[in-house]
Amino acid sequence: MMDDIENEGGGVGVMIMEDGKDLERNISSVSDSGGFREPLLISKSRVNNTSQIAIIGANVCPIESLDYEIVENDLFKQDWRSRKKVQIFQYIFLKWTLVLLIGLSTGLVGFFLNIAVENIAGFKLLLASDLMLQNKYLRAFAAFAGCNMVLATCAAILCAYVAPAAAGSGIPEVKAYLNGVDAHSILAPSTLFVKIIGSALGVSAGFVVGKEGPMVHTGACIANLLGQGGSRKYHLTWKWLKYFKNDRDRRDLITCGAAAGVAAAFRAPVGGVLFALEEVASWWRSALLWRTFFTTAVVVMVLRSCIQFCRSGKCGLFGQGGLIMYDVNSGVPNYNTVDVLAVLSIGVLGGLLGSLYNFLVDKVLRTYSIINERGPAFKVLLVIIISVLSSLCSYGLPWFASCTPCPVGLEEKCPTVGRSGNYKNFQCPAGHYNDLASLFMNTNDDAIRNLFSSDNSSEFHISSLFVFFIGVYCLGVITYGIAIPSGLFIPVILAGASYGRFVGTILGSVSNLNNGLFALLGAASFLGGTMRMTVSLCVILLELTNNLLMLPLVMLVLLVSKTVADSFNKGVYDQIVKMKGLPYLEAHAEPYMRQLVAGDVCSGPLVTFSGVEKVGSIVHALKFTRHNGFPVIDSPPFSDAPEFCGLVLRSHLLVLLKGKKFTKLSVLSGSSILRSFHAFDFAKPGSGKGLKFEDLSFSHEEMEMYVDLHPITNTSPYTVVETMSLAKAAILFRQLGLRHLCVVPKTTGRDPIVGILTRHDFMPEHIKGLYPHLVRHK
C-alpha cells in the first residue's frame, strides 16, 4: 500500500515528455538578455546518427526518452499536500482496475487469435486434404499455395501501409520502451489493430512464425491504450483517469501487459511474470511483481473459461488442443549416465545452432532492410515470394518421404482424415501415413504436439526429422523480417524439438528417456541458444508440458546452451534492438566508461534560464533548439550568488507561456501562477498530440515581459559531480530511469552547472566520436 502511495506522487501528471523530436542532444546556452552567449557548437552537436531501422524497412523515426522521474516543483508539492485519503484510494483502486482490464482484454485477444488461426488454417488444410484424397494433387497445391498467398498478402498490406511498427515480433520494441525509449508508433492503436489481425493472417498463411512474440507486443499495446489517462477526443475526461497521465504509471501497466501477453500465448502465468522480469523490464519493484502476477492469473482464468466453452463444439475447428499445451509424458522420467551426456550434447548443439541462427537472422534482416527501403510495394512483394517458397517446401518436401504402415493398436484413426492428428495420409495408400506431411502439412501448434508426442517412439523416421529440421531452420531465418507480425518462439521450438527427437531416435534402446522428452530438451536448448533466457524459459516450458520432474534436465540444458551461445554473439532480441538503432542502455557499464568521467562527455555551452526570465529569451530558445530540459539559475537579486535552482521541461514551458501570466517587471510572481494552474494542466498527453511551439503566438510587447519559472522548476533533479566516473553515472542513469542527469562542478567559483547527461551521451557511437581511441566495437 505504501509503495502505491509513493508511486502516486508520480501520478499527478507532472512528468512531461518533449513533444518535439528529442534526440537527447546536449544543451546550449542563452544569456539573460535573450540572445545566445556564443554560437551552438556545431562540431559537437549531439545528433543521434542512429535511426530506428524498422525490420520491414529502414524507416527514420524520431526517438524520444520517457520521463520516469517525479518532477518535484511547487505545483506538484501543492497538489500532493492537498490530496485526501479518498483521492489516494481512487488512484489505487483505478490502477488495480486497469490491471484487471489488461488481463481480461489480453486473454480474450489470445483466445480470438487461437480460434482464428485454428479455423482459417484448418479450412485451408481440409481443402487441400480433400483434393488429395481425390488424387487431384496439382489442384490441391494450387488451393494450398493460393490460400497462403492471399492470407500473406492481406497481412503484408496491413503492415506495409497501415502500421509498419506492427511487423516483426515486437518484443525488442517493448523491451526498449521499458528501458526508457519511446520510438514512433510502437504502441499506437493502429499498431494494436494490425498486430492482432496480421498475426492471425500470418500464422494461418503457413509461415514458420508464431503468434507468441506478437502477443507480448499486443499485451503492451492494450496496456498503453488503457493507461492513456483519458482522452479529450473521445470525451474520456474522468478526473480519476488523470492520475495516469505520466510515464511512470504507464510503464508499470505496460510491464503487466507484456507479462499478460506471454501468459496468453503459452498459458503460463508464472512464466509470463518471469519473462517480464528477466527479459523486457529494466526497472522492477515488489508492488509491480504483485500486480503482474495478478494480471497473468486473470489471463489464465479467461483462457480456461474459453476452453470449457469450446469443448461443447461451438468454436468450429477449434478443439481442446487449440491453446498451446503439450502434455509430454505422464510417467516418471528416469535417466542414466548416457542420458545426461546426451542432454549435455543437446545443450552444446543448441548453443551452436542458436548462435548461428542469430547470426543468419542478423544478415537476412540487413538484406531485407535494403529491399524494403524501396517502398511498401516491395515489402508486399517480398512477403509473396517468401509465401510461395514456404508453400513449396511444405507441400513439396513430404513427397520425398516414404509411406509408413500405420501402427497396430492405436486409439486414434490412422491415417488421419482432415487436419488434426499425428498421421497424415498425404499421397500414401490406405493403411499408411506420411510422417513428414504430419509435420509440414499441419498448423505449427499441432506439429509441435506431434514432435512432443511419446505414444509412438518410431512415429518419425530419422531422415524425416532431419529434413524437417533443415526446412524449418532455413524457413525460420528467411521469414523473420518480412512485413508481417511474426514471433520467434514457435520456429525455434519446432527446430529444437526436431533435432532433439532426432537425437532421441538415434540413442534408441540405450536411453531411459523417450523421444518426446528429448524433443522437449531440444526445444529448450535452441530457445536458450537464441534468446539467452534461463529462468523464464525453464518455467514456461514446464508450464507448457505439465512435467515438473523434467526440471533438472531442462535447467541443465538451458545453462549449457546459453553459456555456449554467449561465446559467439548476443541474444536475438538484443541484436534486433541494436540493429534498429534504439538507444538501449545495458544493465552494465562498458569497460571504456571507467576511463572517463561525467564531465568528459558534457560539451557545452548550455542554454540556461534565470528564475525570472524574459519571455523573448524563452521563445528564442524554444524556437532554435529541440532540447527537452533547461537548467534554471537564480542570480542576484534573487540570490546572493549564482545558484542552480533546478530543471524546467520544454513542455512545461509551453503550457506556462500559453497561459500568459507575464509581468512587466522582473519580479517573483509564483503565487499568481499557482492560483492560475493545476498540476494536471502540465500532465503528459496520451497518444494524441500535445501542445506545440507552433501553437503559440506573442506580441512584441509580450516578448519584452517576464515570467516566473520557479513554480514549474523541478527543484530536486538528480545531479552528479563532474569527476564521477562515466561508468558509475551510466548505471545510476539506467537504474533510476532518468532522462536528464545534471552535472555540477567539483570546485567553487564556476558556473553552478557544467552540463546535462542524457541517454545519447552514454551511447557508444557518441563516445566513439569524442574519444575514438577508447571504444572498440566487438
Side-chain angles (χ1 to χ4, degrees):
M1 177 70 71
M2 289 304 295
D3 203 346
D4 278 314
I5 294 175
E6 178 186 356
N7 188 38
E8 198 271 341
V12 297
V14 291
M15 293 172 293
I16 311 298
M17 181 176 66
E18 177 194 15
D19 186 65
K21 300 175 182 177
D22 184 5
L23 299 181
E24 300 300 11
R25 291 179 281 270
N26 212 35
I27 300 185
S28 321
S29 182
V30 168
S31 69
D32 295 340
S33 62
F36 288 95
R37 288 200 200 105
E38 49 187 298
L40 292 173
L41 297 183
I42 302 301
S43 61
K44 291 187 178 182
S45 63
R46 303 300 182 83
V47 178
N48 190 346
N49 294 320
T50 59
S51 63
Q52 184 190 7
I53 302 176
I55 288 303
I56 61 162
N59 295 334
V60 179
C61 301
I63 299 176
E64 300 183 357
S65 288
L66 301 174
D67 283 304
Y68 293 155
E69 182 184 357
I70 297 176
V71 179
E72 294 184 343
N73 53 27
D74 292 342
L75 278 168
F76 165 81
K77 294 174 184 177
Q78 175 180 274
D79 179 78
W80 179 242
R81 283 192 295 265
S82 64
R83 288 289 173 89
K84 300 176 182 178
K85 288 185 179 181
V86 65
Q87 292 175 304
I88 297 175
F89 172 78
Q90 290 172 355
Y91 166 79
I92 298 173
F93 173 78
L94 187 57
K95 192 161 191 177
W96 281 100
T97 302
L98 290 176
V99 167
L100 174 65
L101 292 175
I102 291 170
L104 291 172
S105 303
T106 308
L108 291 173
V109 169
F111 178 65
F112 162 77
L113 277 178
N114 280 280
I115 286 184
V117 170
E118 293 288 321
N119 282 282
I120 297 173
F123 170 80
K124 174 192 68 179
L125 294 170
L126 281 174
L127 177 62
S129 177
D130 291 342
L131 290 171
M132 293 194 74
L133 290 175
Q134 301 172 26
N135 296 327
K136 299 177 180 178
Y137 299 118
L138 190 59
R139 189 176 298 179
F141 172 72
F144 178 74
C147 290
N148 285 343
M149 187 183 299
V150 171
L151 293 170
T153 304
C154 292
I157 290 173
L158 285 174
C159 283
Y161 290 96
V162 179
S169 169
I171 293 178
E173 288 85 349
V174 175
K175 184 175 180 178
Y177 182 92
L178 294 177
N179 188 256
V181 179
D182 187 14
H184 181 66
S185 296
I186 61 174
L187 298 175
S190 59
T191 303
L192 172 62
F193 170 77
V194 174
K195 201 77 176 183
I196 296 173
I197 305 301
S199 293
L201 295 174
V203 177
S204 302
F207 288 114
V208 184
V209 297
K211 54 186 176 295
E212 288 67 30
M215 272 305 303
V216 176
H217 195 182
T218 299
C221 289
I222 291 172
N224 181 68
L225 186 63
L226 292 174
Q228 289 294 308
S231 170
R232 292 182 180 177
K233 180 178 179 181
Y234 299 105
H235 305 289
L236 297 174
T237 55
W238 190 26
K239 183 178 180 181
W240 289 20
L241 293 172
K242 295 181 180 179
Y243 294 133
F244 295 90
K245 283 188 172 294
N246 62 84
D247 288 323
R248 193 180 182 90
D249 284 316
R250 287 177 193 168
R251 170 186 58 187
D252 288 357
L253 294 175
I254 289 170
T255 304
C256 293
V262 176
F266 293 111
R267 252 199 303 168
V270 180
V273 175
L274 293 176
F275 178 84
L277 172 61
E278 182 179 7
E279 180 62 18
V280 296
S282 298
W283 189 87
W284 200 265
R285 60 196 175 92
S286 58
L288 183 57
L289 177 67
W290 174 224
R291 287 195 195 93
T292 307
F293 186 71
F294 173 74
T295 308
T296 56
V298 172
V299 170
V300 174
M301 290 174 63
V302 171
L303 292 177
R304 289 195 177 276
S305 300
C306 294
I307 291 174
Q308 294 296 328
F309 173 77
C310 283
R311 283 179 178 172
S312 61
K314 298 179 180 179
C315 300
L317 296 174
F318 182 80
Q320 296 184 22
L323 292 174
I324 299 179
M325 180 61 76
Y326 315 106
D327 193 1
V328 173
N329 189 9
S330 57
V332 178
N334 296 315
Y335 38 89
N336 52 30
T337 304
V338 175
D339 295 325
V340 174
L341 293 176
V343 168
L344 292 175
S345 301
I346 289 175
V348 174
L349 183 62
L352 294 174
L353 292 173
S355 58
L356 176 62
Y357 191 87
N358 292 359
F359 172 79
L360 295 176
V361 166
D362 182 89
K363 298 301 180 184
V364 168
L365 291 182
R366 295 182 186 278
T367 304
Y368 284 175
S369 67
I370 298 174
I371 298 173
N372 292 330
E373 280 178 352
R374 304 174 68 90
F378 283 85
K379 300 174 186 178
V380 177
L381 179 62
L382 181 59
V383 171
I384 294 175
I385 293 173
I386 301 299
S387 175
V388 173
L389 184 60
S390 299
S391 299
L392 285 171
C393 290
S394 298
Y395 190 85
L397 290 177
W399 286 92
F400 297 97
S402 59
C403 294
T404 306
C406 291
V408 180
L410 284 178
E411 294 182 1
E412 61 180 301
K413 187 176 181 180
C414 178
T416 302
V417 178
R419 177 183 59 92
S420 300
N422 292 26
Y423 304 99
K424 287 287 186 179
N425 179 261
F426 205 64
Q427 90 291 6
C428 294
H432 293 70
Y433 72 95
N434 188 317
D435 59 343
L436 196 53
S438 300
L439 298 174
F440 273 117
M441 294 295 290
N442 240 329
T443 62
N444 292 333
D445 292 355
D446 285 337
I448 294 175
R449 289 189 186 89
N450 295 345
L451 288 170
F452 281 2
S453 172
S454 56
D455 296 335
N456 182 8
S457 59
S458 58
E459 178 181 348
F460 301 100
H461 294 104
I462 292 180
S463 58
S464 297
L465 291 172
F466 180 76
V467 170
F468 182 71
F469 166 70
I470 296 298
V472 168
Y473 193 95
C474 295
L475 288 176
V477 169
I478 65 173
T479 302
Y480 189 83
I482 61 177
I484 61 169
S486 53
L488 283 171
F489 274 98
I490 292 302
V492 169
I493 291 176
L494 278 171
S498 59
Y499 74 70
R501 192 169 182 112
F502 179 87
V503 173
T505 305
I506 291 177
L507 292 178
S509 59
V510 300
S511 172
N512 290 338
L513 299 177
N514 61 53
N515 292 352
L517 296 178
F518 272 109
L520 170 64
L521 294 173
S525 70
F526 203 13
L527 284 168
T530 54
M531 300 180 184
R532 315 296 162 82
M533 292 178 283
T534 52
V535 180
S536 57
L537 281 180
C538 183
V539 174
I540 288 173
L541 288 171
L542 294 178
E543 289 184 290
L544 277 177
T545 57
N546 286 332
N547 198 334
L548 188 61
L549 297 173
M550 287 296 292
L551 177 62
L553 293 181
V554 174
M555 292 175 65
L556 178 62
V557 78
L558 281 170
L559 289 171
V560 172
S561 62
K562 174 177 166 53
T563 302
V564 172
D566 280 339
S567 304
F568 297 96
N569 50 32
K570 291 185 177 182
V572 63
Y573 296 135
D574 294 321
Q575 287 188 173
I576 295 173
V577 167
K578 183 178 180 181
M579 190 187 309
K580 281 175 170 275
L582 299 172
Y584 185 86
L585 291 176
E586 299 289 348
H588 61 276
E590 298 294 339
Y592 59 82
M593 290 185 177
R594 303 191 183 280
Q595 305 178 46
L596 300 172
V597 296
D600 290 336
V601 295
C602 287
S603 58
L606 290 170
V607 174
T608 61
F609 294 136
S610 297
V612 180
E613 185 59 83
K614 183 180 289 187
V615 173
S617 300
I618 300 174
V619 171
H620 194 236
L622 294 178
K623 182 177 181 180
F624 291 102
T625 68
R626 298 181 182 177
H627 312 318
N628 179 69
F630 300 88
V632 176
I633 297 177
D634 271 340
S635 302
F638 302 110
S639 62
D640 296 333
E643 175 184 303
F644 177 48
C645 181
L647 198 70
V648 63
L649 300 183
R650 164 184 286 265
S651 47
H652 287 189
L653 288 171
L654 293 175
V655 175
L656 184 64
L657 292 177
K658 185 179 181 181
K660 296 190 176 182
K661 299 299 177 182
F662 308 146
T663 57
K664 294 184 177 181
L665 300 177
S666 177
V667 294
L668 296 174
S669 58
S671 57
S672 64
I673 292 176
L674 290 175
R675 290 192 300 269
S676 303
F677 291 95
H678 190 275
F680 289 131
D681 296 330
F682 296 87
K684 177 183 176 178
S687 56
K689 297 180 180 180
L691 186 63
K692 292 183 177 181
F693 177 76
E694 291 76 13
D695 300 330
L696 306 179
S697 61
F698 304 97
S699 63
H700 178 73
E701 182 181 359
E702 289 173 333
M703 294 283 281
E704 297 299 320
M705 299 177 74
Y706 294 85
V707 61
D708 189 357
L709 301 182
H710 290 97
I712 64 169
T713 299
N714 180 12
T715 56
S716 57
Y718 286 96
T719 59
V720 296
V721 70
E722 61 182 338
T723 54
M724 175 184 281
S725 72
L726 190 62
K728 200 171 182 179
I731 294 174
L732 176 69
F733 192 94
R734 184 187 191 272
Q735 290 182 345
L736 295 177
L738 302 180
R739 185 172 189 175
H740 306 100
L741 183 60
C742 300
V743 181
V744 296
K746 176 77 171 179
T747 58
T748 58
R750 299 165 55 191
D751 289 338
I753 181 169
V754 175
I756 295 179
L757 292 176
T758 60
R759 178 176 297 269
H760 180 64
D761 293 303
F762 298 104
M763 293 295 105
E765 294 80 9
H766 168 67
I767 299 175
K768 182 182 180 180
L770 296 177
Y771 306 98
H773 63 286
L774 289 179
V775 182
R776 292 184 178 89
H777 288 288
K778 296 181 180 179

